[in-house]
Amino acid sequence: MFYRQAGDFKKSYREDIQTFALRQDRRAYYVLMAIAFLVVPFFINDYWASAVLLPFLILSIAALGLNILTGYCGQVSLGTGGFMAVGAYACYKIMTSFPDLNIMIVVLLAGLVTALVGLVFGIPSLRIKGFYLAVATLAAQFFLVWLFNKVPWFYNYSASGQINAPARSMFGFNITGAEAHAPARYLFCLALVVLLAWAARNLTRGRMGRSWMAIRDMDIAAEIIGVDPLKTKLSAFAISSFYIGVAGALFFSVYLGAVEVGEVFGINQSFLVLFMIIIGGLGSIMGSFIGAAFLILVPVLLKNVMVNGFGWPTDIAAHIEFILIGGLIMLFLIVEPHGLAQLWRIAKEKLLLWPFPH
Amino acid sequence: MSPEFLYTLEVILNGLMAGVMYSLVALGFVLIFKASGIFNYAQGVMALFAAMTLVGIQNGQVPFSHLINAVFGTHIHGFGWTLPAFVAILLTLLVMILFAYLVERFVLKHLVNQDPIILFMATIGLAYFMEGFGDLMWGSEIKVLDVGVPQGASFWLEDFTAGWAAEGSEYYGMYIDKLDLVATVVAIALVVSLTLFSQYTKTGRALRAVADDHQAALSVGISLRKIWVIVWAIAGFVAMVAGIMWGAKSGVQFSLSLIALKALPVLILGGFTSIPGAIVGGLIIGVGEKLFEYSIGPMIGGATENWFAYVLALVFLVFRPQGLFGEKIIERV
């Protein structure tokens, strides 16, 4: 009744293929953008930035990247943490080697470095498929983390083995370092998220995305109709790694500021991002965001309720959190294997007909 | 014989023993994969959970005591008994069977006919769930598992091998943990009994039929659901054995569940569907990583055990994508 397509006429091909086909969706999107860019920065404080918004934004980028590889191209990867570490360390090395370089350029360069590394680890995917590939990507995960631990050049021979982000600013606001400005950090990440999500959306519905999906659905058939598996798989690995590398660079420089590689970019990080795209929805841009929001917000919420609300010890709260997350993953897979994005889609379709479904 | 050679031999032997431990975990994977096509990521957590339950039952811990204490403000901790190891193992086995039933009832039943990847993800969810559940039930502190498995260096072997070295060289014999020897014996017994079970019993034949073809098995009247419960129960039993061995070796703690990750390259080498493959794969990984750490590790900074197995599996896969003993992958459009 309130949500409908009546009267929303498409007068050109461009209008017909736009991302938000319904006028109401478009408006909601613009409103959301306006709130995110113009309202939130004035109310954000350090707690909200560090506990909720920054991890959400940064991990959405990682989820977008993994979704391109796993959701669109069908190559399961458990090496996300390792690739994020590459992004973080590339970012650190570039920041410390070229102190005058703009932080935005540094982050994008770190993404490019990660893309190259991803390309190398993507080569086996031409022969290995499915689970086997997932295990092969574990090699990337463990090897990369080990490498960053063992080779002192990567952490500039610092005594602790940690990497610390030096202070960098844009337009006079500190984005990294100890005295970073919360709204500036937030806006910096948000700008990248919007840019990258827009790029991902258009990549996945273009020629490249179609060849990814063809490979995902059946690689032999795709090969027969003329999709080049080499180019397609490697481009998916490179682009996905670019996203993940950018996420890693942001995670290190803007979000945490100091990183110990085994802790932050371990196998758990890989699984976390994988869960995000499963819960959110494989092969869906929207799903990447929903999944990231879900897995960032739910633990914060649970912790607040159980520790601050009920006054339970933190270890019990942590255990219950594990149980709930595990249970929810199973529940979602049973109820809707295609994730929350699919539920959202179904809800919208129902709403279009509501209250008179035929 | 020169001490150099003997050291290398010792490294190889220890690698074999470590490999047996990996194989124990990998076995459980293969069982479930063969029978239901599910890649059960939760196998490692099942081992952890079984070991925790065993310790908890043996020491008479009250389940969920932390939670109960937190909610009701009480101070209960234990029933105050210590059960004999044998009884505790039996009770743990019962718990694992119950667990198998519950998993089938509440998770697998609803996921029939889904993509393997979806099922894999479901087992990851299950792993998370069990990890939290086990910690909540028995507490997350590191526990000592003692069911009477002998431990410590085998002096007999040390004295025996010390005589092998050349006269005057400083060689004191090989160090091999008794626990590893026991584990080897247990693993052999396990494989033999599993093979006998699947070859010579009615249930075993049904298991093989299901592994071969789900629909054909259904059509001759084999209940898939019953078979799945049985398979998960057997996998639970294997997990318990692995949990006992690993728990006795390094204490019952969270890192126990990570051996699941170590079992993955073992499976890759051996092939997902082959029980002997799991053993051979485990041995190759065990020996390979110990030898690599011994010979090349010191040159590149050590701790290569973290990744060697995966890189070995990766290189191996490029040349033989189906593993050593796996069925040949045939793809059709």
Side-chain angles (χ1 to χ4, degrees):
Chain A
M1 199 197 294
F2 305 106
Y3 182 71
R4 58 192 171 165
Q5 47 200 353
D8 193 1
F9 300 114
K10 307 289 188 298
K11 290 181 212 102
S12 65
Y13 185 61
R14 272 185 69 84
E15 276 180 20
D16 200 39
I17 59 165
Q18 59 194 338
T19 296
F20 297 101
L22 294 180
R23 189 183 288 141
Q24 272 151 325
D25 281 355
R26 268 196 307 279
R27 282 187 191 145
Y29 171 72
Y30 291 134
V31 170
L32 185 73
M33 285 296 111
I35 292 175
F37 275 101
L38 302 175
V39 180
V40 175
F42 293 101
F43 293 98
I44 192 170
N45 56 23
D46 273 330
Y47 173 77
W48 273 91
S50 315
V52 179
L53 287 168
L54 283 181
F56 162 64
L57 290 173
I58 295 170
L59 287 175
S60 328
I61 299 181
L64 273 175
L66 188 63
N67 222 336
I68 286 176
L69 185 63
T70 304
Y72 284 97
C73 196
Q75 314 294 310
V76 183
S77 164
L78 293 174
T80 317
F83 291 127
M84 281 178 83
V86 174
Y89 277 75
C91 177
Y92 176 65
K93 285 306 282 188
I94 297 171
M95 270 170 119
T96 48
S97 309
F98 308 97
D100 297 329
L101 213 56
N102 188 312
I103 178 75
M104 185 64 101
I105 296 172
V106 172
V107 168
L108 293 177
L109 279 178
L112 281 181
V113 172
T114 319
L116 287 179
V117 177
L119 215 56
V120 174
F121 280 98
I123 292 171
S125 74
L126 299 171
R127 253 184 90 80
I128 311 171
K129 289 165 191 167
F131 288 133
Y132 290 89
L133 182 66
V135 178
T137 54
L138 276 178
Q141 168 72 46
F142 288 105
F143 179 74
L144 288 170
V145 167
W146 175 85
L147 191 71
F148 292 131
N149 254 330
K150 288 292 170 190
V151 182
W153 181 78
F154 286 115
Y155 49 86
N156 283 359
Y157 306 94
S158 78
S160 62
Q162 276 195 344
I163 52 174
N164 291 296
R168 295 283 181 273
S169 59
M170 244 174 114
F171 308 118
F173 292 107
N174 266 355
I175 288 174
T176 64
E179 279 153 23
H181 188 54
R185 287 158 86 199
Y186 164 77
L187 279 176
F188 183 76
C189 290
L190 183 69
L192 271 169
V193 168
V194 172
L195 186 75
L196 288 174
W198 173 79
R201 168 69 188 155
N202 286 304
L203 273 176
T204 50
R205 62 177 178 166
R207 181 195 165 83
M208 202 176 242
R210 278 158 203 256
S211 49
W212 288 341
M213 285 185 262
I215 288 283
R216 170 192 70 189
D217 291 341
M218 188 174 240
D219 49 355
I220 299 180
E223 206 175 332
I224 289 168
I225 58 166
V227 177
D228 182 354
L230 176 87
K231 251 198 256 165
T232 313
K233 284 184 180 173
L234 288 188
S235 64
F237 262 97
I239 291 173
S240 146
S241 304
F242 176 81
Y243 277 70
I244 293 171
V246 168
L250 291 176
F251 208 78
F252 152 66
S253 61
V254 181
Y255 175 45
L256 290 177
V259 156
E260 206 280 308
V261 61
E263 264 169 42
V264 180
F265 298 122
I267 183 78
N268 285 335
Q269 188 74 289
S270 303
F271 276 121
L272 182 71
V273 179
L274 187 66
F275 288 163
M276 283 176 182
I277 64 168
I278 298 167
I279 290 186
L282 290 167
S284 155
I285 301 291
M286 179 86 176
S288 313
F289 286 101
I290 303 181
F294 187 82
L295 280 186
I296 296 294
L297 287 180
V298 168
V300 172
L301 198 72
L302 285 177
K303 202 175 162 205
N304 269 327
V305 169
M306 284 189 289
V307 176
N308 303 340
F310 298 159
W312 290 356
T314 41
D315 61 331
I316 290 186
H319 300 158
I320 293 181
E321 187 187 312
F322 261 81
I323 294 181
L324 284 176
I325 299 252
L328 282 173
I329 290 171
M330 287 189 283
L331 186 74
F332 279 126
L333 288 173
I334 290 169
V335 177
E336 183 51 71
H338 299 105
L340 288 169
Q342 179 70 12
L343 285 180
W344 174 251
R345 219 170 288 145
I346 293 171
K348 282 209 299 190
E349 272 167 28
K350 289 238 162 88
L351 202 60
L352 273 180
L353 299 177
W354 185 85
F356 302 115
H358 29 217
Chain B
M1 279 180 269
S2 70
E4 279 299 301
F5 176 74
L6 284 171
Y7 278 130
T8 315
L9 202 65
E10 186 178 344
V11 170
I12 292 177
L13 266 179
N14 272 314
L16 282 175
M17 300 294 163
V20 168
M21 299 293 254
Y22 296 145
S23 306
L24 274 177
V25 184
L27 255 183
F29 276 101
V30 172
L31 282 172
I32 291 187
F33 189 81
K34 268 186 84 140
S36 52
I38 296 173
F39 188 86
N40 178 25
Y41 178 76
Q43 188 67 28
V45 187
M46 274 162 75
L48 173 68
F49 183 76
M52 279 172 126
T53 313
L54 181 61
V55 175
I57 291 177
Q58 204 182 1
N59 297 338
Q61 241 180 302
V62 178
F64 303 110
S65 54
H66 292 285
L67 184 65
I68 295 170
N69 290 347
V71 176
F72 300 109
T74 49
H75 293 282
I76 40 173
H77 291 290
F79 293 119
W81 70 54
T82 313
L83 290 176
F86 178 70
V87 180
I89 288 177
L90 268 188
L91 286 173
T92 308
L93 195 56
L94 280 181
V95 172
M96 294 316 281
I97 291 172
L98 178 72
F99 163 76
Y101 173 74
L102 291 178
V103 166
E104 201 281 334
R105 175 77 184 69
F106 289 108
V107 185
L108 295 180
K109 196 182 93 178
H110 305 283
L111 288 172
V112 178
N113 253 340
Q114 295 285 4
D115 291 340
I117 195 76
I118 302 280
L119 288 160
F120 171 59
M121 313 265 184
T123 60
I124 297 182
L126 183 67
Y128 261 60
F129 181 86
M130 283 186 76
E131 208 177 302
F133 193 73
D135 281 349
L136 193 67
M137 199 163 165
W138 303 114
S140 54
E141 67 277 2
I142 299 174
K143 299 180 191 65
V144 183
L145 189 147
D146 179 24
V147 290
V149 183
Q151 264 176 303
S154 164
F155 293 112
W156 172 80
L157 199 75
E158 235 168 67
D159 294 341
F160 182 68
T161 50
W164 288 1
E167 283 294 316
S169 59
E170 296 208 345
Y171 186 73
Y172 302 106
M174 287 180 192
Y175 177 88
I176 287 179
D177 202 319
K178 275 185 210 158
L179 178 72
D180 288 336
L181 292 173
V182 175
T184 312
V185 175
V186 169
I188 292 170
L190 209 58
V191 171
V192 170
S193 52
L194 281 176
T195 316
L196 289 179
F197 174 74
S198 71
Q199 295 293 334
Y200 295 108
T201 63
K202 201 176 161 189
T203 322
R205 210 175 306 133
L207 286 186
R208 278 187 294 138
V210 171
D212 209 36
D213 189 331
H214 283 187
Q215 283 180 334
L218 267 176
S219 68
V220 294
I222 297 169
S223 159
L224 262 189
R225 294 186 52 191
K226 208 169 94 191
I227 293 296
W228 280 1
V229 173
I230 293 174
V231 167
W232 276 74
I234 296 176
F237 172 67
V238 176
M240 185 181 76
V241 175
I244 291 174
M245 293 302 159
W246 278 97
K249 190 172 182 153
S250 50
V252 181
Q253 54 179 318
F254 170 71
S255 65
L256 206 61
S257 62
L258 295 180
I259 52 175
L261 289 172
K262 220 28 180 301
L264 292 177
V266 171
L267 291 168
I268 291 280
L269 282 182
F272 282 109
T273 48
S274 163
I275 291 181
I279 305 290
V280 176
L283 295 181
I284 292 176
I285 296 274
V287 173
E289 71 178 19
K290 285 281 186 308
L291 268 183
F292 189 79
E293 177 70 30
Y294 175 69
S295 55
I296 301 179
M299 279 180 251
I300 51 173
T304 54
E305 279 152 335
N306 284 343
W307 53 266
F308 177 77
Y310 304 100
V311 174
L312 181 70
L314 176 69
V315 173
F316 188 86
L317 274 180
V318 172
F319 294 104
R320 207 178 149 80
Q322 72 270 35
L324 265 183
F325 299 96
E327 290 149 17
K328 188 155 178 47
I329 303 168
I330 300 169
E331 287 182 284
R332 294 191 182 87
V333 177

